[in-house]
Amino acid sequence: MLNLLDLTFSELESFFVEDVKEPRFRAAQVWQWLWQKDARDFAAMTNLSKALRDKLAARAEVVWPGVADVRTSRDGTIKFLLRLGDGKLIESVLIPNDKLARYTQCLSTQVGCAMACTFCNTGLMGFERNLTQGEILGQILVGRAHLAASGLAPLTNLVFMGMGEPLLNLDWLLKSLATLNSDTGLNISWRRTTVSSVGLPKGLDILGASGLALPAISLHAPTQELRARIMPKAAQVPLDELLAALDCYPMKPRERITFEYLLLRGINDSPAHARQLHKLLCNRRCKVNLIAYNATEDSPYQAPDPDAVLAFEKILWDKGMTATIRRSMGTDIKAACGQLKAERVRG
């Protein structure tokens, strides 16, 4: 059965005209039910005739990811373990902002990840498959419904920072971003949407040309040698090649590239590393998002000393670079990428 959540608007129009033999305007009606009214079956689409609803039910379905587990942290973070139609498990996280006044959702784009970064639970699981549009945006439908049912603040921002490397699922990513930006779809602006990547130049070129999202680069090391040690597959793209691609990324005057830098105790968190990072990025329109490592079971890495994190940030600020420390959220519910799935898999 065809999951209608996997279709772009133009594909939905073609489905109605060519497969269902109905007028094109029916696509607009169903599109609104799917993305704005959260309809999960055709019986709810009351402005369609019963005969049309029966015809649709014989040819297609509306499938959201199933909730295998949901946990709420003391700080308001909400983590979902979601089960897909084939039984695969992915994660998605709702992160509160501004004293619970709004939420940002962290989305997965793949089951597992092929990049195998040594500090990442998801990377250590290996790659299983890409997610479709319905599975990517279905995470938003689940999250939004949970917030509404719980009487919580609305979902306003999205970050593609969950399981997987988004630019290795580029076709479904771009379709999903277009549906997000549609004012008759989910209607979430590109200005509120960030795609996080280890930095794949060809994919960055295509994403930049689309104008559908802002990039954040998972850098995590100030030198090619250190990046190759902790991110061996990502480092197959040399740093100078990655930075050259980013220098060509189309940005409006006030926009900047975000570089994510995960601080690992004794590995990349020294004052010398901070100075190297400044030297690498100082002539670029960017900001640095510092993240203290959230230690996981069986990891070879440790969380950095809090004073080392503050010292790292201060060095960057003193040299005129914008740097912020991302507060760790949801540590009591295994909110870091891959932790909850890893727990479930271990049993």
Side-chain angles (χ1 to χ4, degrees):
M1 296 286 281
L2 174 68
N3 183 5
L4 293 190
L5 296 180
D6 284 335
L7 302 183
T8 64
F9 182 70
S10 62
E11 289 170 342
L12 187 63
E13 286 184 316
S14 297
F15 169 73
F16 270 92
V17 173
E18 297 172 10
D19 292 56
V20 188
K21 310 302 182 186
E22 289 283 337
R24 189 176 300 272
F25 76 86
R26 294 295 185 194
Q29 292 177 305
V30 172
W31 186 258
Q32 186 178 38
W33 281 108
L34 295 175
W35 300 115
Q36 296 188 347
K37 297 183 179 181
D38 292 350
R40 300 185 67 165
D41 60 64
F42 299 113
M45 301 179 184
T46 51
N47 59 346
L48 306 181
S49 69
K50 185 177 185 304
L52 177 53
R53 282 180 274 163
D54 290 344
K55 190 188 296 187
L56 289 173
R59 290 169 168 79
E61 58 188 347
V62 181
V63 181
W64 290 19
V67 179
D69 195 3
V70 58
R71 299 183 184 182
T72 301
S73 168
R74 292 184 296 268
D75 60 29
T77 301
I78 303 165
K79 182 156 191 176
F80 298 95
L81 183 67
L82 301 176
R83 180 173 286 109
L84 306 178
D86 60 358
K88 303 291 187 184
L89 296 173
I90 60 169
E91 299 176 348
S92 189
V93 184
L94 291 167
I95 306 163
N97 307 90
D98 301 334
K99 298 182 179 179
L100 305 184
R102 60 188 177 90
Y103 277 82
T104 294
Q105 188 164 9
C106 182
L107 302 174
S108 294
T109 54
Q110 297 179 314
V111 182
C113 182
M115 299 313 297
C117 297
T118 59
F119 46 77
C120 177
N121 268 313
T122 302
L124 298 177
M125 294 175 187
F127 172 74
E128 296 184 57
R129 68 170 177 85
N130 286 326
L131 301 187
T132 67
Q133 174 180 274
E135 293 167 335
I136 294 171
L137 300 186
Q139 298 167 63
I140 300 173
L141 298 177
V142 170
R144 192 171 62 180
H146 181 89
L147 291 173
S150 304
L152 297 172
L155 174 66
T156 61
N157 293 63
L158 300 172
V159 290
F160 286 78
M161 295 183 182
M163 303 176 74
E165 165 53 55
L167 298 187
L168 289 179
N169 188 12
L170 195 56
D171 289 345
W172 282 115
L173 173 69
L174 293 175
K175 286 184 177 183
S176 300
L177 290 173
T179 298
L180 281 176
N181 278 255
S182 167
D183 57 4
T184 59
L186 285 168
N187 195 24
I188 298 178
S189 168
W190 63 269
R191 294 180 179 85
R192 296 180 177 273
T193 305
T194 300
V195 173
S196 176
S197 171
V198 299
L200 305 175
K202 185 176 293 186
L204 287 170
D205 289 345
I206 296 171
L207 181 66
S210 77
L212 292 173
L214 298 172
I217 303 302
S218 297
L219 187 63
H220 310 318
T223 67
Q224 176 66 20
E225 292 75 19
L226 181 54
R227 201 165 192 251
R229 175 181 162 192
I230 63 175
M231 304 171 69
K233 291 191 177 180
Q236 290 174 9
V237 176
L239 269 181
D240 56 356
E241 184 179 332
L242 168 58
L243 293 173
L246 292 171
D247 289 342
C248 297
Y249 198 91
M251 292 188 292
K252 293 180 173 59
R254 298 181 63 183
E255 292 175 355
R256 292 179 290 177
I257 299 289
T258 296
F259 287 94
E260 299 163 329
Y261 193 96
L262 183 70
L263 292 156
L264 306 165
R265 184 190 290 256
I267 304 296
N268 65 353
D269 63 342
S270 72
H273 291 122
R275 290 188 287 270
Q276 288 174 327
L277 184 62
H278 171 263
K279 182 178 180 181
L280 184 71
L281 302 178
C282 63
N283 294 320
R284 294 182 161 86
R285 287 169 52 190
C286 67
K287 56 184 177 180
V288 177
N289 193 356
L290 299 173
I291 310 160
Y293 178 64
N294 184 359
T296 61
E297 295 176 24
D298 303 322
S299 171
Y301 301 111
Q302 295 180 310
D305 185 280
D307 289 339
V309 176
L310 294 173
F312 200 103
E313 179 194 36
K314 185 176 186 302
I315 289 171
L316 297 180
W317 274 107
D318 287 348
K319 290 180 174 291
M321 179 171 286
T322 300
T324 57
I325 299 172
R326 185 197 298 173
R327 183 165 64 94
S328 293
M329 303 287 285
T331 55
D332 55 322
I333 59 166
K334 298 185 181 296
C337 186
Q339 283 187 313
L340 191 53
K341 179 177 177 179
E343 179 188 76
R344 177 63 65 94
V345 171
R346 285 194 299 264

